[in-house]
Amino acid sequence: MFQPIDRPLEIPVLAADRHAAILDTLRVQRTVRVSELAAGLGVSEMTIRRDIDSLDAAGTLRKVHGGAVSRATLSTLEPGFGVNADQRTEAKEAIASAAAELVEPGMTIALTGGTTTYRLVEHLTGPLTIITNSLPAAEKLHRSAASGITVLLTGGERSPSEALVGPIATSTVRSFNVDLCFMGSHGVDADAGITTPNLAEADTNRAFAEQCGRLVILADSTKFGTVSLARVAGLAAVHCIVTDQPPSDSRYAAQTTVITPDSYASPSTQLPQDAP
């Protein structure tokens, strides 16, 4: 929940006061949401959206679906697995549950590093072959009581996201062909595509994207509009994005399929079966 940083709990009257409170918050946390800012500052969500638009135009933050992120965190900051694991847990669980609907018995699937792909593990049942470079996912699969699942773990160098990356991991990934690849992402942008702050992880994830029949991105809505250092793939290479809330920017839907948990509740929704 948003709380104004280092200032009394009072309603800012001037736009400058609100802008200062928003930026103060972004200095100590990576993201802020419109609804939390509106409640914390005692103003309407429309007012907060205008504030975010103004600050985005000034280059002091970056507007994303439902809120904003600090520009200081976009390119190179790579929070560790433990930091991200406790953030937006409900959204990640909903995404994981929806993504599991795309899996069919007998498939060979790939799981990249990330806290959302990690949550997908508990929704998977055999028979499956799973190739992963995620140490937490491999450990969770090893402890799982699910039968009929074969796990292949790549080698490589450990990254802050607890993924195995680098030349060894990339070479291993390129030796496999998989039906589905579920990939986590630091950023998903209509222009920049899928990006990550880790150059080695970008290279390994690029190999995953090239070796799969269908590439599925698991990303909560705060990832939309975020651009990081290294590009993994453009949206045209993405079969679908599974998220908790669809982006308002129509360019995403024009390039790939966006799936939310609600997609499965709507009989009129045709879930993707073939690559675009």
Side-chain angles (χ1 to χ4, degrees), residues 4 28 40 58-59 78 83-84 91 120 139 142 146 202 218 224 226 229 251 253 259 262:
V28 296
E78 184 178 9
V83 173
N84 283 333
L120 176 59
E139 176 63 20
H142 177 71
L218 308 186
F224 291 116
T226 296
L229 178 65
R251 291 179 297 165
I259 296 175
D262 291 340

Side-chain angles (χ1 to χ4, degrees), residues 11 89 183 245 259-260:
I11 299 176
T89 55
M183 183 177 292
Q245 297 179 45
I259 296 175
T260 66

Side-chain angles (χ1 to χ4, degrees), residues 1 28 43 51 120 125 212:
M1 177 62 69
V28 296
V43 294
D51 289 337
L120 176 59
T125 57
C212 69

Side-chain angles (χ1 to χ4, degrees), residues 234-255:
L235 287 190
V238 176
H239 180 64
C240 64
I241 300 171
V242 185
T243 186
D244 55 319
Q245 297 179 45
S248 57
D249 190 333
S250 61
R251 291 179 297 165
Y252 291 93
Q255 298 181 73

